[in-house]
Amino acid sequence: MATVKLTNVTKTFDKNITVVKDFSLEVGDREFVVFVGPSGCGKSTTLRMIAGLEDISSGTIEIDGQVVNDLEPRDRDIAMVFQNYALYPHLTVFENMAFSLRLRKLPHEEVYRRVTEAAAVLGITEYLTRKPKALSGGQRQRVAIGRAMVRDSKVFLMDEPLSNLDAKLRNQMRAEIILLRKRINSTFIYVTHDQTEAMTLGDRIVIMRDGYIQQVGTPEEVFERPKNLFVAGFIGAPQMNFIRCPLKKEGDRYFVVPFGAKMEVGQRKAEILAQKGVQSRSVILGVRPEHITAVEGERPYAFRARIEVNEMMGSEFHLHTVTSDGTDVVVRIPTLALSQEERHLFDAGSEIAVTFGGQAMHVFDDVTEENLCV
Ligand SMILES: Nc1ncnc2c1ncn2[C@@H]1O[C@H](COP(=O)(O)OP(=O)(O)OP(=O)(O)O)[C@@H](O)[C@H]1O
Ligand SMILES: [Mg+2]
């Protein structure tokens, strides 16, 4: 059992710079929670407070129900993997992994058992006698994780453990962490600024900005029901498009009117707008590039966009378009079903008509930037 609970945790550095503000979160036993957000938003500071490497200015942190605010890092039963996992260059992989156990004066057989078990799980058994310099980046990363694993900790903290690796290795290690997580019975808190890592690894994602939690939810929740414009823009790639436009209420139906096109808001979302008593007003409309489709001819529910750049991504085009008033709109078009002729409709310089469905729309308050449909 290992739960982690933060209650109103705040961190103020000298000169009254508060970098983590009123942070409250309960991480369940064996849950995998990811902190994500832009550089400087307080992810590492929060993780370091959980580990005990940083004092807490106010609030409480509990591990398994015990307040650990004043507990030394070594007494918290936590393992941590950092971005810059320095391995000891003069020690073998085995001794690197055994290091903390030797410090704790564990019996030799116990050290041997734990190191070889962790190595087997991580697939690095054959490298145990090598020195770190004879390993690839991904193998070194596994040793760093192994070094944390042997300690049999209740809670695993990882701070951007993959950010030193190239894109291909990062994808591979991401898959390995998913497998690893199934094999170790531990609670994980994982920090990244990469939304793909957050989406693929997390049971729940905590999205942070300027020291504040913006939203906590499953990957599905934060993708489909982002609480505000910031979360909507941060989660998903390519990024969600944002269009300032009027929202019109007609009876109990709602329409958005981007660039003169009139599109009905989906029924479920319209019901929420009605419940909130939203009247006709100006809004920011959000729509993801993959939810936009091209249509032929003039339609009242489509608007025109000129293609500036067409990026061929393999199975789809990423179109960077500009609308009548100069707003940028990115559109993803799957290419599989298109003939060669049809593909030319999407050449740079062409104009297309685009539209999207009522369920794909996100409607944000143009002042508070809160999602009006959740
Ligand atoms: N020891 C310190 N003294 C003063 N300010 C600090 C200290 N450590 C961090 N900060 C500030 O706290 C803020 C949050 O830093 P933190 O390292 O937690 O960000 P982060 O979300 O991990 O960012 P990154 O993605 O770049 O790693 C930053 O503005 C940083 O400059
Ligand atoms: Mg950091």
Side-chain angles (χ1 to χ4, degrees), residues 36 106 119 123 201 273 316 366:
V36 69
L106 255 64
L201 292 174
L273 291 173
E316 60 188 29
D366 62 341

Side-chain angles (χ1 to χ4, degrees), residues 39-40 42-45 83 159-160 191:
S39 187
K43 306 180 293 291
S44 296
T45 305
Q83 174 181 352
D159 193 352
E160 311 228 15
V191 163

Side-chain angles (χ1 to χ4, degrees), residues 72-189:
E72 290 295 320
R74 63 167 181 278
D75 298 324
R76 295 191 185 194
D77 205 359
I78 271 176
M80 188 149 172
V81 182
F82 298 95
Q83 174 181 352
N84 298 309
Y85 49 88
L87 301 176
Y88 300 108
H90 57 290
L91 297 181
T92 62
V93 167
F94 186 100
E95 287 307 325
N96 263 287
M97 287 171 68
F99 196 82
S100 67
L101 306 180
R102 301 250 195 254
L103 279 185
R104 282 199 270 154
K105 305 223 170 0
L106 255 64
H108 287 301
E109 306 76 58
E110 179 69 9
V111 173
Y112 179 83
R113 186 185 64 78
R114 289 200 193 185
V115 171
T116 51
E117 273 180 22
V121 168
L122 291 161
I124 51 174
T125 306
E126 57 186 303
Y127 312 123
L128 281 173
T129 55
R130 287 199 201 168
K131 300 273 176 66
K133 70 171 187 301
L135 299 177
S136 72
Q139 290 159 350
R140 277 183 218 159
Q141 183 61 60
R142 270 175 255 174
V143 177
I145 293 172
R147 204 167 47 174
M149 263 173 72
V150 294
R151 300 176 52 195
D152 263 342
S153 305
K154 286 190 207 162
V155 183
F156 233 93
L157 305 180
M158 297 179 141
D159 193 352
E160 311 228 15
L162 307 186
S163 60
N164 279 344
L165 306 177
D166 66 39
K168 194 172 161 216
L169 252 180
R170 208 159 53 223
N171 282 345
Q172 193 184 326
M173 282 301 294
R174 206 168 65 210
E176 284 187 20
I177 287 178
I178 293 172
L179 293 176
L180 182 67
R181 175 273 162 99
K182 289 187 181 143
R183 278 179 249 152
I184 356 183
N185 276 331
S186 205
T187 303
F188 281 81
I189 304 177

Side-chain angles (χ1 to χ4, degrees), residues 13-14 17 19 37-46 54 160 191 193:
F13 285 111
D14 350 310
I17 311 163
V19 300
S39 187
C41 71
K43 306 180 293 291
S44 296
T45 305
T46 308
E54 204 77 74
E160 311 228 15
V191 163
H193 59 261

Side-chain angles (χ1 to χ4, degrees), residues 34-37 43 192-195 198 205-208 234-235:
V34 179
F35 295 173
V36 69
K43 306 180 293 291
T192 180
H193 59 261
D194 180 312
Q195 64 93 28
I205 303 177
V206 178
I207 297 144
M208 297 175 66
F234 196 81
I235 298 292

